[in-house]
Amino acid sequence: MAPSAVSMVFTVENAKTVGALEKGQKPPGGHSFDEALELAGFGRVQIVLSILAGLGMMASINEAMGMSIILPASQCDLDLDAGEKGIVGGAVFLGTMCSSYFWGYLADTRGRQLILKYALFATSFFGAISCLATGFTSLLVLRFLTGVCVAAPASTVYAYLGEFTTPSRRSQMLSFASVWGGVGIVYVSLVGWWILSYDWVLTISDSFEFKPWRLLFIINTMPGFLNGIAFCFCPESPKFLVSQGRNEEALEILKKVYKLNKGTDSTDDYEVTSLRLDPEDAIAREHSENGSGGLLKSMVQQTLPIVKLPYLMYFIICCVHNIGAFAIYGGLGLWFPEIMNQVFSQDATQIERKVCAILQRNETLPVTSDVVLCDDEVKIETFLYTLLLGIIGCIYALITSAVLGRIDQKVMMVFNCIVAGVSGIALQFITNAYAVAILFCLEIVFAGYCVLLVNANVVAIFPTNVRAMAVALTNMIGRLSCFVASAVIGLLILQNCPVTFYMLSGLLFLCAGLTFLLPKK
């Protein structure tokens, strides 16, 4: 529950005299923001914004998962070994981790929409020029910078969409937006399959050749660029405007939401003429008015509410959730295509073996020989199973979006953690290659969906003035685990495959237990 504060009323238009409250009459103190948003209705505005927020999530997925297809195709030209591929693949997560705190501060103090559009354009720029990399160092730097920029849309879209949606529908709309994460995986696999089927070469100089894998960087970043253009025509979050004392602007946006949702040209029937400042917004405005001492001090002041009770406990729980979810979704997901290639490369004449026996016996996963290193052909299994991963993600997100309004969010969180954890344990006992592929997909998809549920919890728990910062910080911690996992998970699996999967599953079971400590919303 947000800290209490003196209620304040900021009149936008002169309210009519209010007597006894009846249907159609206005409360004497003005409407709260949630009441005003409820009266603006639910319809095309929320649907369109959920699609745009989903495209922002898709931009993040494209930059991260796209590398799992680009790296095998570029390893010969860039002379990358398995360790370097793991580091480069995790560079986006490292960049995201390093910049999330700053982007969260800017989104909470400068606005959600402003940060989203500029960050998406910057992401597209660095993502596209990654095609000019000539070696490990240059590719690492460019992917790191891409991660620095994509951190903003990866986190801020949750706060932006959440503040256009009433609490009763918030989790459901965020879940619907997450469908585009699966679409992003399908996109990079299909586009990669198409582009890498060509073998043309454009010789730019004696030391630089433009090949199809370089074009993939540009194609993968196009949805983010188009998303940035779309956000140029979107309004700022009215909830953010209220917290900054810009009630007139907030009410005008709510009127536009009302008109678009109701399909009318007039706002005469919209009952809201004044907005009552919620306690959390009163605190946010007080901080905004009293803030001084430069950027660093302002950032510290912005962070302090998060690290004070009761929010500190909730923040720690959400961080643990994201550590488990990102380690599997990002870390294991990056290695997923290559692991599947190893599983399906078994000799058909041999007896089927458990996945750990395959991975521990085949040392080409973390330590690639010269022959494999110089083979830049991306096998069809890489595209097929990445495509399968995206399709399962889309289907599950659609199903969850339909039922989330009827099922408690905590129950969904526990269910996802348990299914992902059980799938990881079951992998130790299954020998059928197709069953192994399905279990891997279930583990990655269900763990990945926990990221959305954690962010939905953060949006619901933390007040407006620190909401984007809280989302950014929890994602920053999660992406740190993602970078570490993507860089070393191949070696961990080789050294002791069963223990690795038991550790990851145990972390998910811990997250399931901690879920019950989160507050009711």
Side-chain angles (χ1 to χ4, degrees), residues 34 37-39 42 46 162 164-171:
D34 284 340
L37 192 59
E38 189 75 47
L39 291 170
F42 176 86
Q46 284 76 16
F164 271 96
T165 312
T166 55
S168 61
R169 290 183 178 267
R170 185 172 293 145
S171 296

Side-chain angles (χ1 to χ4, degrees), residues 136-158:
F136 168 72
T137 302
S138 58
L139 183 59
L140 177 64
V141 171
L142 288 171
R143 298 315 295 165
F144 175 81
L145 293 175
T146 303
V148 167
C149 298
V150 83
S155 299
T156 309
V157 288
Y158 292 97

Side-chain angles (χ1 to χ4, degrees), residues 363-377:
E363 297 185 1
T364 60
L365 176 62
V367 182
T368 310
S369 67
D370 290 340
V371 175
V372 176
L373 181 65
C374 292
D375 179 12
D376 60 3
E377 178 186 1

Side-chain angles (χ1 to χ4, degrees), residues 315-482:
F315 174 70
I316 293 173
I317 293 173
C318 291
C319 284
V320 173
H321 278 150
N322 267 351
I323 287 173
F326 272 106
I328 295 174
Y329 182 63
L332 190 60
L334 180 69
W335 286 101
F336 172 74
E338 192 160 350
I339 291 175
M340 287 297 97
N341 279 342
Q342 301 300 331
V343 171
F344 281 87
S345 294
Q346 297 181 84
D347 191 335
T349 61
Q350 292 181 348
I351 299 176
E352 290 183 327
R353 294 176 292 162
K354 296 177 182 178
V355 63
C356 281
I358 297 171
L359 296 178
Q360 289 183 311
R361 180 172 290 189
N362 192 341
E363 297 185 1
T364 60
L365 176 62
V367 182
T368 310
S369 67
D370 290 340
V371 175
V372 176
L373 181 65
C374 292
D375 179 12
D376 60 3
E377 178 186 1
V378 182
K379 297 180 177 65
I380 191 172
E381 286 84 1
T382 300
F383 305 110
L384 288 177
Y385 299 117
T386 306
L387 182 63
L388 176 64
L389 182 66
I391 291 174
I392 292 177
C394 289
I395 293 174
Y396 181 64
L398 287 172
I399 294 174
T400 306
S401 300
V403 303
L404 195 56
R406 304 180 182 91
I407 299 178
D408 185 81
Q409 197 167 301
K410 285 186 180 181
V411 175
M412 287 299 301
M413 186 73 184
V414 172
F415 174 74
N416 278 266
C417 289
I418 291 177
V419 171
V422 170
S423 298
I425 293 176
L427 278 169
Q428 317 311 310
F429 309 100
I430 303 298
T431 58
N432 182 271
Y434 297 101
V436 167
I438 294 297
L439 286 172
F440 260 118
C441 288
L442 290 177
E443 182 177 14
I444 294 171
V445 167
F446 277 79
Y449 207 81
C450 289
V451 176
L452 168 94
L453 294 174
V454 172
N455 286 327
N457 274 321
V458 172
V459 170
I461 293 171
F462 290 89
T464 309
N465 61 307
V466 296
R467 183 170 292 152
M469 176 74 81
V471 173
L473 285 176
T474 53
N475 283 335
M476 179 183 75
I477 301 298
R479 285 182 171 87
L480 174 60
S481 72
C482 193

